[in-house]
Amino acid sequence: MSAALPLSAASGANALLERLPVVLRDGLLGYLPESLRWIVSGLITIAALLAVFGLLFAYLTLAERKLLGRIQNRPGPNRTGWFGLLQPFADAVKALTKEDIVPREADAVLHYLAPVVLVALSLMGFAVLPFGRLLVPVELDSAVLYFFAAGAATELAVFMAGWASRNKYSLLAAMRALAQLISYELPLLLSFVPVIMLAGTLSTTEIVTAQGGWTLGFLPHWHVLTPWGFAGFVIFMIAALAESNRSPFDLPEAESELIAGHLTEYSGFKYALFFMAEYFGMCALSGMAVTLFLGGWQAPCAFLEFIPSYAWFGAKLLALLFGFIWIRATLPRLRMDQLTRLAWKFLVPLALINLGTAAFWFLTAGWSGPLQLVRWAVAVALVVVPFLLLGRRLTAGVAPRTYRYAT
Amino acid sequence: MLGTGLIKGLAVTAKNLVGSYHDPARYTTVEYPEVKPPLPEAYRNFPFLVSESADDPMGTLRCVACQICEKECPPQCIYIEKSKDKKPDAAGKLQIYPTVFAIDTSVCMSCQICVEVCPFDSIKMDQVYEVATPGRYGDLLLNREQLAKSNAYYHQIRPTEAAEVDGRLAAERKAAEEKAKAAAAAKAALPPKPAAPSPAAKLPDESRRSPQGEGGAAKPPAEGAQP
């Protein structure tokens, strides 16, 4: 985690908390010879990431079960420990002590490799996320590009798992996963192109700094608060749901159709690794959404800046993750054709139009006074009108559904 | 408009999420080991033997070891051994009693046929459901002592049915007593007749029949009236 920005940005009591992780790391490095410092520094970063996101994964599973329970008017797990707080550890022990079964016909090497590769690839995304003002694991000029390349590679591991299992359900699920990837990679990438256009950089830290500052001290300059940014954010989150195989796009592991999809032939800790990878992917994509659209580690109001930047990042991340769980608790699963139709006939055109909106926004940056209102009106119209028109076309002939027997 | 349905759905789930925290009445579940929901009266699982008193269950079993249930049991899970001697039952009458009465609950299918065939209302369906045991064979074979439960317990689990059974038994006992009195009076009036005492002696036994045997319970007085 290199000190990316000058510390002058942080001030007062904030500075201490803000610098604390870096100070701790540098203190540890002080005991080591100069030649070892660079590698140990990297290892500490990796260990910190694994610890933080490992724990987040553990408690995210619990939070998900609790929230789903509450939404279904039941208490959720509450037996292990206080309010069920030890449940993740009980689950981990259970997963570790289970028998690890490899089908006789399976490709043993690939079968073993798939969960490992999946977790490794889904962890790679965290390397370029700016978790705080000073907490950027790796500073890359093309961080966004790297992030989505690593994210797309996880589908390879899913296909590996499906192919190696030698099971029709696993293979079907893997095929679905690939179809889904191809469908949703495009809107996902197109949705944040405006951000890169306007920020003029692929570096995540610079994208976050571009969103700094406030109008009147409380209106943050986050991309999500512009017409094109809002549209981009919504498209990004829909595509992110699909990319992380979450409901309502969880076709690859549709229990009612495919047993457990590509997880069918996995048991014990390998199964847990798949879940870990799913949650890591979800966290990484949410973190990227926070970085690209929600102002990264920036505080929403000027007077709230005393709270350290990584806390703001964490709060925004958790809010998005809550959204993921909320959506999972609400929406039924899409059918394969509905899934691809939504991507190709709706999200991709909207994302393309959004490029034009962003271009308009960029070109009219100099407008002021009443022209500002015109700028907003035109940009909002550019977002809303295509949404309404495309939405009408998308649902024409399929909605509303009539039920002959049920009421 | 596209998306309004999604928002409506999200609102429903959000309402549930918030509602379940401040309104416990929304809960669709109970926390089982601590809270046990009341069972419907008709719920049945495994038979038990009715004893008149909780203090002396073995001495007050209604069962007279007639073995009808043993013979009728479809999966053959009941095993009965009759006593050689007779003991007074709750009404004070000498009866044969079961020295061994065992039900293999690993075989029992809770069909209630034993209850329906019993002429003495001595076996009834229980409402147990926490019947797990560490032993696979021995522990599931319930003996006489484990099967015996008091009439008070029967009243507790099935109040209406138990009240009906009690009322019928009391009425039958009363009828039997009156019959015996009448027979005794007749005997006193006509001492030389030797045939009269034997049907009169049989009467209390016959009159203790349950609804399945009600035809039988109705007949003996008629037969007894004839001689």
Side-chain angles (χ1 to χ4, degrees):
Chain A
M1 298 181 203
S2 53
L5 289 172
L7 267 177
S8 58
S11 57
N14 177 19
L16 179 66
L17 268 179
E18 189 70 67
R19 291 179 57 165
L20 194 62
V22 182
V23 170
L24 280 177
R25 183 201 61 189
D26 290 345
L28 269 174
L29 290 182
Y31 295 105
L32 291 167
E34 192 76 44
S35 55
L36 280 176
R37 279 185 192 172
W38 67 273
I39 190 162
V40 174
S41 164
L43 288 176
I44 288 174
T45 309
I46 291 169
L49 274 179
L50 279 178
V52 169
F53 282 93
L55 265 180
L56 183 67
F57 155 66
Y59 278 98
L60 209 53
T61 57
L62 179 67
E64 176 151 19
R65 291 170 67 184
K66 279 284 205 191
L67 285 172
L68 285 180
R70 286 289 172 174
I71 284 170
Q72 293 156 13
N73 286 325
R74 54 186 175 84
N78 60 358
R79 295 280 141 183
T80 325
W82 197 59
F83 284 115
L85 280 178
L86 294 177
Q87 188 67 42
F89 302 103
D91 288 341
V93 170
K94 180 193 150 206
L96 277 169
T97 49
K98 275 201 160 186
E99 189 187 355
D100 178 32
I101 299 164
V102 181
R104 195 174 11 156
E105 293 294 313
D107 186 325
V109 178
L110 278 187
H111 189 267
Y112 177 84
L113 217 55
V116 180
V117 170
L118 188 59
V119 171
L121 286 175
S122 49
L123 272 174
M124 277 165 73
F126 290 119
V128 292
L129 289 180
F131 297 103
R133 207 187 294 272
L134 307 173
L135 305 179
V136 191
V138 180
E139 195 82 27
L140 272 187
D141 286 341
S142 53
V144 179
L145 207 60
Y146 161 85
F147 179 90
F148 287 100
T154 57
E155 301 289 326
L156 177 73
V158 170
F159 194 75
M160 233 155 104
W163 186 260
S165 294
R166 277 252 183 162
N167 175 314
K168 59 189 167 196
Y169 297 111
S170 301
L171 187 57
L172 274 173
M175 303 272 210
R176 281 186 177 192
L178 281 191
Q180 196 166 315
L181 167 83
I182 292 164
S183 297
Y184 279 87
E185 198 68 17
L186 200 56
L188 184 77
L189 296 180
L190 282 176
S191 65
F192 66 80
V193 168
V195 175
I196 290 160
M197 277 164 59
L198 269 86
T201 172
L202 277 167
S203 154
T204 44
T205 38
E206 281 172 44
I207 288 171
V208 174
T209 16
Q211 298 176 76
W214 298 270
T215 308
L216 305 175
F218 65 91
L219 279 177
H221 295 166
W222 300 351
H223 289 143
V224 75
L225 297 176
T226 58
W228 60 268
F230 181 76
F233 176 67
V234 172
I235 297 170
F236 185 91
M237 288 317 287
I238 293 174
L241 275 175
E243 284 290 304
S244 49
N245 290 341
R246 292 281 301 182
S247 173
F249 304 108
D250 54 348
L251 283 125
E253 39 184 308
E255 299 92 344
S256 47
E257 303 155 31
L258 291 172
I259 308 179
H262 56 281
L263 310 175
T264 308
E265 297 294 356
Y266 283 92
S267 56
F269 204 66
K270 287 184 197 162
Y271 186 80
L273 281 181
F274 275 102
F275 264 83
M276 201 186 267
E278 181 186 321
Y279 280 86
F280 281 162
M282 199 166 90
C283 290
L285 275 169
S286 299
M288 202 39 151
V290 168
T291 305
L292 291 173
F293 296 102
L294 296 181
W297 42 259
Q298 310 269 8
C301 304
F303 67 90
L304 286 172
E305 252 203 318
F306 66 91
I307 297 169
S309 57
Y310 46 82
W312 280 118
F313 184 89
K316 292 173 189 175
L317 182 68
L318 290 181
L320 285 188
L321 292 174
F322 171 75
F324 271 91
I325 295 169
W326 188 11
I327 286 169
R328 179 184 165 184
T330 307
L331 302 181
R333 188 185 302 126
L334 265 70
R335 220 168 46 213
M336 195 70 218
D337 60 319
Q338 294 169 334
L339 176 102
T340 41
R341 194 178 63 201
L342 179 71
W344 291 106
K345 292 176 96 172
F346 191 66
L347 294 180
V348 170
L350 274 188
L352 284 171
I353 293 166
N354 202 31
L355 289 183
T357 318
F360 169 77
W361 193 261
F362 180 70
L363 293 173
T364 56
W367 290 9
S368 58
L371 278 178
Q372 273 279 7
L373 286 179
V374 176
R375 184 190 185 212
W376 271 88
V378 172
V380 169
L382 276 174
V383 170
V384 173
V385 172
F387 172 79
L388 291 177
L389 291 178
L390 280 171
R392 191 168 296 173
R393 271 204 58 197
L394 187 75
T395 52
V398 288
R401 197 163 174 178
T402 51
Y403 295 92
R404 262 196 298 165
Y405 302 110
T407 46
Chain B
M1 195 181 83
L2 183 70
T4 44
L6 299 185
I7 290 162
K8 270 185 212 159
L10 287 170
V12 168
T13 45
K15 226 179 275 171
N16 275 332
L17 174 64
V18 178
S20 67
Y21 276 99
H22 68 74
D23 181 15
R26 295 180 81 106
Y27 268 19
T28 51
T29 54
V30 293
E31 296 195 34
Y32 159 62
E34 289 89 26
V35 185
K36 291 176 182 172
L39 294 167
E41 205 182 324
Y43 170 69
R44 63 166 201 250
N45 198 20
F46 299 143
F48 72 99
L49 292 175
V50 185
S51 67
E52 298 294 348
S53 136
D55 304 325
D56 179 23
M58 286 309 105
T60 56
L61 281 181
R62 285 182 188 166
C63 179
V64 297
C66 67
Q67 291 179 312
I68 294 175
C69 54
E70 186 182 18
K71 288 177 186 111
E72 293 285 345
C73 177
Q76 296 284 295
C77 69
I78 302 179
Y79 176 73
I80 299 172
E81 273 178 23
K82 284 184 171 192
S83 64
K84 300 275 189 287
D85 58 327
K86 288 189 176 184
K87 271 193 196 169
D89 66 0
K93 189 182 155 28
L94 284 177
Q95 295 280 19
I96 293 174
Y97 61 93
T99 52
V100 174
F101 194 114
I103 295 180
D104 190 346
T105 51
S106 66
V107 175
C108 176
M109 59 187 194
S110 297
C111 63
Q112 208 180 351
I113 286 177
C114 52
V115 175
E116 278 158 22
V117 298
C118 180
F120 302 97
D121 282 306
S122 66
I123 190 163
K124 292 290 171 195
M125 294 309 287
D126 207 345
Q127 292 195 331
V128 289
Y129 50 92
E130 287 164 330
V131 286
T133 57
R136 187 167 170 187
Y137 302 107
D139 290 0
L140 289 168
L141 184 67
L142 303 183
N143 59 26
R144 195 166 72 123
E145 282 75 15
Q146 287 162 300
L147 288 168
K149 284 173 182 174
S150 67
N151 195 25
Y153 171 78
Y154 183 37
H155 272 275
Q156 190 192 320
I157 60 170
R158 285 181 222 279
T160 50
E161 196 186 307
E164 187 241 315
V165 168
D166 271 15
R168 193 172 63 236
L169 285 180
E172 281 167 7
R173 262 177 212 157
K174 210 177 148 197
E177 269 166 30
E178 272 166 19
K179 198 65 236 168
K181 247 184 234 167
K187 195 182 161 193
L190 295 167
K193 276 222 170 180
S198 61
K202 262 185 194 167
L203 276 177
D205 195 6
E206 289 280 337
S207 64
R208 291 195 61 204
R209 288 189 172 270
S210 69
Q212 293 80 26
E214 237 164 338
K219 265 177 201 165
E223 279 167 8
Q226 268 176 355

